[in-house]
Amino acid sequence: MEHIAFREWLILSFLLLSLTASLIIFRKLEHADMILYDRFMQWNMHEARQDILVVAIDDYSLNELGKWPWPRQRHAQLLKQLNAANPAAIGLDILFTEEEPQAATDQISGDQLLADAMTQSNRVILPLIPQNTGKGLETTRPIPMLANAARQISHIHLEPDQDGITRSVFLREGMSNEWWPHFALAMKDVAQNIPSGTERYLPGQRLPLALRKSDHLSGVWQRDYRMYVPFSGGSGHFQSVPYVSVLRGEVPDSFIRNKYILIGPTAPGMTDSYPTPVSGNDGTTPGIEINANILASLLDERAIIMATRWQSMLYNLVIPLLGLIALQRLSPRKALLATMILLASTMTGSFLAMRYASYWLPPTGAVLALVVAYPLWSWRRLEAAIRYLGEEFMALDKEPHLMPELNIQDTPRPVLTDKLEQHINAMRIAAERVRDLRQFVSDSLASLPDATLVTTTDGNVLLSNQPALIYFASLGLPKVNDSLVPYLFSRMSTPQVSDNNNDPAFSWWNILDLQHTASMMQGVEVRDPLNHDLLIKSAPCYNAEKILVGWIISIIDITAIRAAERSRDETLHFISHDMRAPQASILALLEMQKDSTTALPQDELLSRIEKASRITLGLADNFVQLARAESQDYRFETIDFREILLDATEEMWSLARTKNIRLETSIPPGDYPVRADRALMTRVLTNLLSNAIKYSPRDTSVQCSLTLEQRLADATVICSIADHGYGIPRSEQNKLFQRFQRFKNADQPRQDGVGLGMVFIKAVLDRHHAQIDFTSVPNEGSTFNVKLPSTHL
């Protein structure tokens, strides 16, 4: 089968590379390459040279000086202004192909004035253009007076590509064996005093010799040195000043000195603009700014070098070949990743070659081959896989069935007509069996009450039931499948083996180690970040050949068991100490009474026995009330919370009276309906009032208030009980609702109690879906707020 796959890979590679080579040879991807070229050019723009200045014939100048054309006397005045600032060169991108009519009042013609200004400057370059006059192609030059006065005559022809976008220019063009430099090249020559034709740096592709030396009598316009322009930017990129501002002397000489001055139209109505790769949303770039880009590239000695056809073919064939090798060698996922990397590398390489080497390597051939190669090869792989699976499914159909199949003999079998239908039917039956077996395993796993994981031999999770997903999601680990078990358990506490054989070198990899199977089947006890007590067990799984294939790991929550054990220990401690102490005191008093030397007066004896008995009775009553609060025996009814508060204050009135403490009640008019167990909720308030009275000095007050907080969808009854007592130490406040916690400041009297009252309050409020909060300042008092959902409509 491997030989067949390799043969198909060779055929696919040959066809794909041949197609790519054909597309490059016949230039079928040239349009796509040029689109990428333009995009890369836009990303490759850089800062404009500061020694190039555009004097723009813009809308502002037209509004100030009148409609075009302007008299040549005005251009002469402009040149005089520029000459005074000593520029490096002046390119006058205006055609002067006809003489200007001279007015009778003018002693000197405008042409003469302009020619004198050009002669004085000796830095002015004028353009010419080829023009078809009906008798063939001819050169349209400036009038002789101006042509003789100019330092250099140059052509301003731009070369648009087939899509109409101007990307290149010919640095030399001519006719009748007479050559002219491009406008920008002539400006560089004039500024650097280089005779035309002797330039040291002259970039661009040279045309074939046969075309360069075509018959000059045939009227052929000759072109040479085609340079692709590395545009610095689009419209408005170079420094620009309005024509009228220079004419009026508003531009300082220092801004013009030693700069290349390009004078030309930028106003939209003068139609001297062309689409370029960097035109962007503007659509076109004025011709004078295109010339500025060309001049900047010549001064920087930087031009785009176009790869030859063979260089382009090599680039576009080697990369797809690497991709095809990756497809044949790597897995589908890695092959896809390699294909994506090659695609990114192809585009990035082409861009970097343009940016840093000014070299254009068209990438679309390689990109197209890579994009097509992966799905084609995946299709061939899938075809082979389906064929192989079909054979395996038919063999599987002959194997003994593990799951019972009901009434399989009554199931009508389809009439098989060919090999394809046989494969399809075998695949259908095998897939049904696999689905049934999968469903059986899934149902069995899901029906387990404890969180359970099924892993590979190296601990990678394959299956997990719903309790496992819920548990790990609560720890902030939503992704369980495909995770490593040691990673899932890494935040647990240090494990303790249940058989007390603590291993100081224990790690979570032990649960995947056959050497620790015995201890791990008994389980290790840990505590998770949520302070849950867990028992974690693992057991190995073997296949039919007794080879280890995975592990089954169960996570048993024993928090309730450990909490019950801790509660039992606390209760035993309480019974053995707190409840035993009063009874021991009574027995000690009775023993003392038997001896006349130690006997107490009758009244004192009875008082001490009564106090010890009441302490025991109070402790027993607290236990009974807490047991009821934690039981399921609640009698809920709809009642006004005002009545519960009044019952509680009435019950505590006598206790408050003994310490001369005032119970002040503030209940605004209105209803405060809640659904509650009246007896237990009254006990909650009496416990709070009792604590407020006990832990307050004499001659103070306890305030009780009720408020109804109304929201859009619900309402809440808030009962506040505030005292002016000793308060709760800040270090003890977080232990307020724990069992057997008692608090005492150094300056407050001792109070009897076992520390179950607040636990009772919290248990009752939890069953009522209520909340309690408090604020307490030592020696200033405490305020407790009980918040119950109201049934108020």
Side-chain angles (χ1 to χ4, degrees):
M1 187 171 180
E2 294 182 358
H3 294 294
I4 297 175
F6 182 72
R7 184 177 62 193
E8 291 194 356
W9 177 82
L10 285 177
I11 296 173
L12 176 64
S13 301
F14 175 77
L15 294 176
L16 192 59
L17 295 178
S18 298
L19 175 63
T20 304
S22 300
L23 292 174
I24 295 173
I25 291 173
F26 295 106
R27 300 183 180 275
K28 297 299 182 182
L29 300 175
E30 190 172 8
H31 181 68
D33 283 327
M34 288 297 100
I35 293 176
L36 280 178
Y37 177 93
D38 294 346
R39 178 61 63 184
F40 289 171
M41 184 66 68
Q42 294 172 14
W43 295 342
N44 194 34
M45 291 190 296
H46 48 275
E47 293 184 2
R49 288 180 63 99
Q50 298 302 307
D51 57 353
I52 296 178
L53 178 65
V54 175
V55 177
I57 302 174
D58 54 5
D59 287 334
Y60 172 69
S61 298
L62 291 173
N63 290 333
E64 292 292 315
L65 300 177
K67 65 179 181 178
W68 188 262
W70 295 332
R72 294 177 186 176
Q73 180 183 0
R74 186 168 294 164
H75 298 313
Q77 294 172 356
L78 177 73
L79 290 180
K80 290 180 180 179
Q81 290 284 354
L82 292 173
N83 292 336
N86 194 26
I90 302 174
L92 193 57
D93 189 9
I94 303 173
L95 295 175
F96 300 106
T97 58
E98 296 179 356
E99 295 182 356
E100 182 181 59
Q102 182 178 353
T105 58
D106 294 338
Q107 297 180 355
I108 303 176
S109 68
D111 291 334
Q112 185 63 53
L113 292 173
L114 180 57
D116 292 343
M118 293 170 59
T119 301
Q120 181 183 359
S121 171
N122 197 31
R123 298 185 183 90
V124 178
I125 297 93
L126 289 182
L128 58 78
I129 58 172
Q131 190 173 13
N132 193 337
T133 59
K135 300 179 181 180
L137 197 63
E138 295 182 357
T139 302
T140 304
R141 310 176 188 227
I143 61 175
M145 181 184 297
L146 298 181
N148 294 331
R151 174 73 175 272
Q152 184 77 38
I153 303 296
S154 62
H155 77 86
I156 55 172
H157 178 247
L158 299 175
E159 183 65 18
D161 292 330
Q162 293 182 355
D163 55 2
I165 297 178
T166 300
R167 301 182 180 91
S168 62
V169 64
F170 285 92
L171 295 181
R172 289 196 177 279
E173 296 191 8
M175 187 176 182
S176 300
N177 208 22
E178 186 177 6
W179 293 88
W180 296 278
H182 186 268
F183 187 74
L185 179 60
M187 290 191 66
K188 177 184 177 184
D189 291 345
V190 168
Q192 298 180 0
N193 201 24
I194 299 173
S196 179
T198 63
E199 296 87 356
R200 179 184 59 83
Y201 175 75
L202 200 60
Q205 299 174 352
R206 302 214 66 182
L207 294 182
L209 183 62
L211 293 178
R212 279 185 273 138
K213 294 187 176 182
S214 58
D215 186 3
H216 61 275
L217 299 177
S218 61
V220 174
W221 183 262
Q222 300 168 308
R223 301 177 299 178
D224 201 3
Y225 293 101
R226 184 177 188 178
M227 181 186 78
Y228 282 82
V229 183
F231 286 86
S232 300
S235 180
H237 185 69
F238 288 89
Q239 294 183 75
S240 177
V241 293
Y243 183 102
V244 66
S245 298
V246 179
L247 185 65
R248 292 172 178 172
E250 297 171 356
V251 180
D253 291 349
S254 59
F255 193 70
I256 299 173
R257 184 171 296 111
N258 295 327
K259 287 187 178 180
Y260 295 85
I261 309 300
L262 292 93
I263 306 170
T266 61
M270 301 186 73
T271 67
D272 186 24
S273 58
Y274 308 89
T276 65
V278 294
S279 295
N281 296 328
D282 298 334
T284 58
T285 302
I288 193 67
E289 297 205 33
I290 297 176
N291 288 327
N293 276 280
I294 300 170
L295 176 59
S297 65
L298 290 173
L299 294 174
D300 291 336
E301 295 189 357
R302 183 174 53 88
I304 301 296
I305 302 172
M306 307 300 286
T308 65
R309 188 174 303 181
W310 291 108
Q311 291 171 338
S312 176
M313 184 176 298
L314 182 64
Y315 182 70
N316 284 274
L317 292 182
V318 170
I319 293 178
L321 181 59
L322 294 176
L324 288 166
I325 293 174
L327 294 178
Q328 202 272 335
R329 295 286 184 180
L330 303 178
S331 65
R333 183 171 60 181
K334 292 181 179 178
L336 177 60
L337 179 62
T339 301
M340 300 301 294
I341 292 174
L342 285 172
L343 279 171
S345 301
T346 302
M347 299 292 285
T348 304
S350 182
F351 173 72
L352 294 179
M354 171 183 281
R355 183 175 182 83
Y356 296 107
S358 297
Y359 196 86
W360 172 240
L361 278 171
T364 53
V367 170
L368 178 63
L370 289 172
V371 169
V372 171
Y374 185 81
L376 284 178
W377 180 243
S378 298
W379 164 60
R380 294 309 305 160
R381 276 189 171 181
L382 183 61
E383 185 81 13
I386 291 176
R387 184 169 63 251
Y388 171 76
L389 290 177
E391 296 172 357
E392 290 297 317
F393 285 143
M394 294 190 70
L396 181 63
D397 188 42
K398 301 175 182 179
E399 294 289 331
H401 304 157
L402 300 179
M403 295 289 297
E405 299 180 1
L406 302 177
N407 301 324
I408 192 169
Q409 66 275 10
D410 298 333
T411 303
R413 289 185 172 271
V415 179
L416 302 179
T417 58
D418 56 22
K419 203 69 174 177
L420 176 61
E421 290 190 12
Q422 291 179 6
H423 288 176
I424 292 175
N425 187 61
M427 182 181 294
R428 178 184 61 79
I429 295 173
E432 289 176 357
R433 289 173 181 161
V434 171
R435 283 194 295 268
D436 292 342
L437 185 59
R438 168 77 180 188
Q439 188 65 40
F440 173 76
V441 174
S442 298
D443 291 345
S444 300
L445 187 64
S447 63
L448 296 176
D450 299 318
T452 304
L453 306 174
V454 179
T455 76
T456 60
T457 55
D458 55 0
N460 196 46
V461 178
L462 293 177
L463 298 174
S464 54
N465 62 356
Q466 191 65 22
L469 296 176
I470 295 173
Y471 171 71
F472 284 109
S474 69
L475 297 182
L477 299 170
K479 182 175 177 56
V480 177
N481 290 354
D482 295 330
S483 298
L484 282 175
V485 168
Y487 164 74
L488 295 176
F489 293 157
S490 61
R491 295 167 59 191
M492 305 292 183
S493 66
T494 303
Q496 295 181 354
V497 183
S498 60
D499 60 1
N500 296 325
N501 294 327
N502 290 338
D503 184 1
F506 184 91
S507 78
W508 285 112
W509 292 102
N510 290 3
I511 63 178
L512 307 173
D513 192 343
L514 290 175
Q515 295 180 358
H516 296 82
T517 300
S519 61
M520 292 309 304
M521 290 183 70
Q522 295 181 8
V524 293
E525 186 173 340
V526 298
R527 176 163 287 186
D528 69 6
L530 301 178
N531 288 325
H532 293 163
D533 293 305
L534 305 175
L535 184 64
I536 299 177
K537 298 182 178 182
S538 69
C541 296
Y542 299 93
N543 62 10
E545 286 76 25
K546 299 300 180 182
I547 298 175
L548 181 68
V549 294
W551 296 85
I552 296 178
I553 300 173
S554 58
I555 306 166
I556 305 169
D557 191 343
I558 57 173
T559 304
I561 297 175
R562 292 294 179 258
E565 290 177 351
R566 288 190 289 270
S567 178
R568 178 198 63 192
D569 295 340
E570 291 172 353
T571 303
L572 290 175
H573 174 76
F574 167 74
I575 293 174
S576 64
H577 183 270
D578 292 76
M579 292 194 70
R580 186 174 178 272
Q583 306 303 318
S585 298
I586 293 173
L587 292 175
L589 289 172
L590 293 176
E591 289 294 330
M592 292 172 58
Q593 202 67 18
K594 293 178 181 180
D595 187 350
S596 60
T597 60
T598 60
L600 298 174
Q602 187 72 17
D603 292 342
E604 183 179 355
L605 173 66
L606 293 176
S607 175
R608 289 178 178 273
I609 293 175
E610 180 185 7
K611 181 178 180 180
S613 299
R614 288 188 180 278
I615 291 174
T616 304
L617 183 61
L619 295 175
D621 184 52
N622 281 338
F623 262 102
V624 171
Q625 291 296 333
L626 181 58
R628 186 187 171 195
E630 293 177 344
S631 71
Q632 305 296 323
D633 186 20
Y634 276 66
R635 300 177 179 86
F636 289 99
E637 59 178 310
T638 301
I639 188 172
D640 195 320
F641 201 84
R642 181 208 316 260
E643 300 179 13
I644 298 176
L645 178 58
L646 293 176
D647 289 347
T649 55
E650 183 69 23
E651 186 175 341
M652 290 292 104
W653 181 84
S654 58
L655 178 62
R657 184 66 180 272
T658 61
K659 297 183 67 175
N660 197 25
I661 292 177
R662 300 183 306 278
L663 294 180
E664 300 176 354
T665 305
S666 174
I667 305 177
D671 297 330
Y672 300 88
V674 295
R675 183 166 178 78
D677 184 310
R678 180 167 185 164
L680 289 176
M681 191 56 68
T682 302
R683 182 60 183 266
V684 167
L685 297 186
T686 57
N687 278 6
L688 291 174
L689 288 170
S690 174
N691 289 341
I693 295 168
K694 288 180 182 179
Y695 296 101
S696 294
R698 298 179 63 85
D699 302 321
T700 58
S701 63
V702 175
Q703 288 82 31
C704 306
S705 63
L706 275 183
T707 57
L708 181 66
E709 187 177 284
Q710 183 71 46
R711 297 186 183 88
L712 293 176
D714 54 16
T716 302
V717 173
I718 303 176
C719 177
S720 299
I721 297 176
D723 62 55
H724 303 280
Y726 306 109
I728 304 170
R730 298 185 188 277
S731 60
E732 306 293 337
Q733 290 182 5
N734 61 339
K735 303 177 183 178
L736 184 61
F737 297 102
Q738 297 179 11
R739 291 173 181 262
F740 310 115
Q741 297 293 328
R742 287 169 284 189
F743 312 107
K744 178 179 181 301
N745 288 328
D747 55 349
Q748 76 180 59
R750 184 180 183 277
Q751 298 290 341
D752 295 326
V754 70
L756 293 177
M758 298 306 295
V759 179
F760 166 81
I761 291 171
K762 188 68 169 63
V764 173
L765 293 181
D766 286 345
R767 290 296 303 277
H768 284 78
H769 303 290
Q771 298 177 354
I772 183 171
D773 57 47
F774 70 95
T775 57
S776 181
V777 179
N779 299 321
E780 293 186 13
S782 304
T783 301
F784 286 83
N785 301 306
V786 177
K787 302 177 181 179
L788 284 84
S790 175
T791 59
H792 180 75
L793 299 178

